[in-house]
Amino acid sequence: MAGGERGYADGQGADAKFDYPYGLAVDSSSNIIVVDAGNNKIRKISPMGLVSTIAGSTEGYEDGKGEAAKFNFPYGLTVDKLDNIYVADYSNMRIRKITPDGTVSTLAGDGFYGFDDGEGLNVKIAFPRGITVDDDFNLYFTQNFVVRKITQE
């Protein structure tokens, strides 16, 4: 459907390039949302096979819109019924949210390794991987040997 050669390029079908695509999900418009871990980006594949970048630029940690945002080896993602994207930002040890307009914010995690519960940026997370969301917008994610839950209000 898209890709075929290692690298980074937006484009149609085989002209697009990925570097370690990991997690993926489908939004309400049948777009496939893909974690492009090696490029530290979140990408979209349209039903017609056109690949574009939603958010991310270089390795790092920064909230912001589109390319102003930075991830550090994002791993898993999920999409809710409002087309918000939630990302398990593995090496930043955070859970991130991308709104439909491409704005990235941090929902949970202070960036330091741990298992401490709390609220928002006071939570300690250790290398999150898998993530999903239920119909009530509760997030569930995996880290090391546990499954954790984030309740959104």
Side-chain angles (χ1 to χ4, degrees):
M1 178 167 202
E5 191 175 312
R6 185 176 182 184
Y8 170 72
D10 287 338
Q12 186 68 40
D15 292 336
K17 295 179 183 177
F18 295 90
D19 188 5
Y20 294 106
Y22 280 122
L24 54 86
V26 178
D27 70 12
S28 66
S29 299
S30 298
N31 296 300
I32 300 171
I33 311 301
V34 181
V35 170
D36 190 356
N39 286 313
N40 297 296
K41 299 176 189 328
I42 307 304
R43 317 275 295 281
K44 175 174 73 174
I45 306 171
S46 75
M48 302 304 291
L50 180 63
V51 177
S52 59
T53 300
I54 296 171
S57 56
T58 58
E59 179 182 307
Y61 169 71
E62 188 72 41
D63 287 338
K65 190 169 184 177
E67 290 183 1
K70 293 183 179 186
F71 296 92
N72 191 353
F73 204 76
Y75 200 97
L77 63 73
T78 190
V79 179
D80 71 19
K81 59 188 173 185
L82 301 177
D83 287 335
N84 294 298
I85 302 165
Y86 301 93
V87 179
D89 195 356
Y90 183 84
S91 291
N92 278 325
M93 293 181 263
R94 293 177 164 101
I95 302 299
R96 315 281 293 281
K97 177 180 181 179
I98 307 172
T99 60
D101 75 351
T103 301
V104 178
S105 60
T106 301
L107 283 184
D110 65 2
F112 296 99
Y113 180 91
F115 297 88
D116 296 340
D117 291 336
E119 292 186 20
L121 304 182
N122 295 318
V123 175
K124 293 209 180 305
I125 297 173
F127 306 111
R129 292 186 179 150
I131 187 167
T132 193
V133 62
D134 67 20
D135 287 338
D136 294 322
F137 302 99
N138 296 304
L139 293 167
Y140 303 88
F141 67 95
T142 59
Q143 71 169 68
N144 293 354
F145 309 106
V146 298
V147 176
R148 297 183 70 185
K149 177 180 180 181
I150 297 173
T151 304
Q152 296 189 76
E153 298 188 26

